[in-house]
């Protein structure tokens, strides 16, 4: 039968025969008074979760700030976000196409793509540093998703964001250079010379002789004049 002191003292237990139990030295503690201590591991986790939520909301409004943060440099370094990514698959032959999407409602697949696995990576037309990682620096072409491992949903967002950024002028794009030889391609060339009009047009005659011999019906002409009377000049 335990004593009243062991029952009211949280540092005593029946297992140790009423002896004081020392807290784990690896866990941070906060002293609230003489002889009392409280483990704050749960409170630290809550603080970290709140900080992560605040950072996520901050990066949602300005996603380009995440690529300049220390958290991004510690996780990815100076390389692109898709460097070293490998999708889990059965067998030795990788799939020819990436998955349609990594997130369906509240369910996330086991091995999400490089963009879906990090909630702070937001595809936005003003997030130029992220968009440049999915473009060739030599040709400006967008990398194929089989190379970067991005799912089809994020690849569509990347294409739309890159096109919008190029229209807004934040991303450069190359226009093929065409050299003009200076040759004259007008009708003055011998192969395409100027064809003089036929003599019948200069003399005032019709192009076809039979057209001048035709006489329109007076009744049909009267109908047409009556129909377009408002548009005919008097």
């Amino acid at each position: 039968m335990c004593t009243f002191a062991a029952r009211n003292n949280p540092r005593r237990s029946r297992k140790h025969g009423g002896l004081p139990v020392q807290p784990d030295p690896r866990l941070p503690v906060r002293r609230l008074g003489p002889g009392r201590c409280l483990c704050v591991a749960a409170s630290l986790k809550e603080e970290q979760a709140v900080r992560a939520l605040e950072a996520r909301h901050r990066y949602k409004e300005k996603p380009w700030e995440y690529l300049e943060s220390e958290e991004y440099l510690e996780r990815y370094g100076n390389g692109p976000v898709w460097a070293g990514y490998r999708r889990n698959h059965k067998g030795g032959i990788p799939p020819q196409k990436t998955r349609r999407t990594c997130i369906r409602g509240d369910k996330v697949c086991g091995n999400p793509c490089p963009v879906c696995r990090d909630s702070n990576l937001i595809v936005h037309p003003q997030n130029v540093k992220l968009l440049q990682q999915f473009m060739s620096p030599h040709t400006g072409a967008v990398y194929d998703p089989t190379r970067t491992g991005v799912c089809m949903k994020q690849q569509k967002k990347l294409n739309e964001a890159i096109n919008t950024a190029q229209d807004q002028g934040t991303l450069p794009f190359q226009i093929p250079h065409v050299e003009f030889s200076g040759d004259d391609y007008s009708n003055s060339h011998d192969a395409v010379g100027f064809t003089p009009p036929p003599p019948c047009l200069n003399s005032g005659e019709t192009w076809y002789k039979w057209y001048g011999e035709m006489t329109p019906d007076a009744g049909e002409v009267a109908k047409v004049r009556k129909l377009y009377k408002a548009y005919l000049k008097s």
Side-chain angles (χ1 to χ4, degrees), residues 85-103:
Y85 173 79
R86 183 179 181 275
R87 177 184 172 185
N88 296 336
H89 57 83
K90 296 181 180 179
I93 301 176
Q96 301 299 322
K97 294 182 180 180
T98 57
R99 59 173 65 92
R100 293 184 179 180
T101 179
C102 302
I103 303 174

Side-chain angles (χ1 to χ4, degrees), residues 103-183:
I103 303 174
R104 298 179 182 273
D106 298 337
K107 297 181 180 180
V108 183
C109 63
N111 187 20
C113 70
V115 180
C116 293
R117 66 184 176 182
D118 193 350
S119 59
N120 293 326
L121 290 176
I122 301 175
V123 179
H124 194 273
Q126 296 182 2
N127 198 357
V128 179
K129 291 185 178 181
L130 179 62
L131 300 180
Q132 288 178 345
Q133 297 181 8
F134 295 89
M135 298 175 59
S136 174
H138 307 288
T139 61
V142 183
Y143 288 140
D144 193 79
T146 55
R147 178 177 181 179
T148 59
V150 180
C151 62
M152 294 297 178
K153 182 178 180 180
Q154 296 294 342
Q155 183 68 21
K156 184 178 179 181
K157 291 183 179 180
L158 285 169
N159 294 335
E160 294 176 354
I162 289 173
N163 293 334
T164 305
Q166 290 177 351
D167 293 340
Q168 294 177 355
T170 55
L171 271 181
F173 59 94
Q174 298 181 359
I175 300 177
H177 178 69
V178 179
E179 295 183 357
F180 296 95
S181 59
D183 295 338

Side-chain angles (χ1 to χ4, degrees), residues 190-202:
D190 295 337
V192 189
F194 178 72
T195 304
C200 60
L201 295 181
N202 295 332

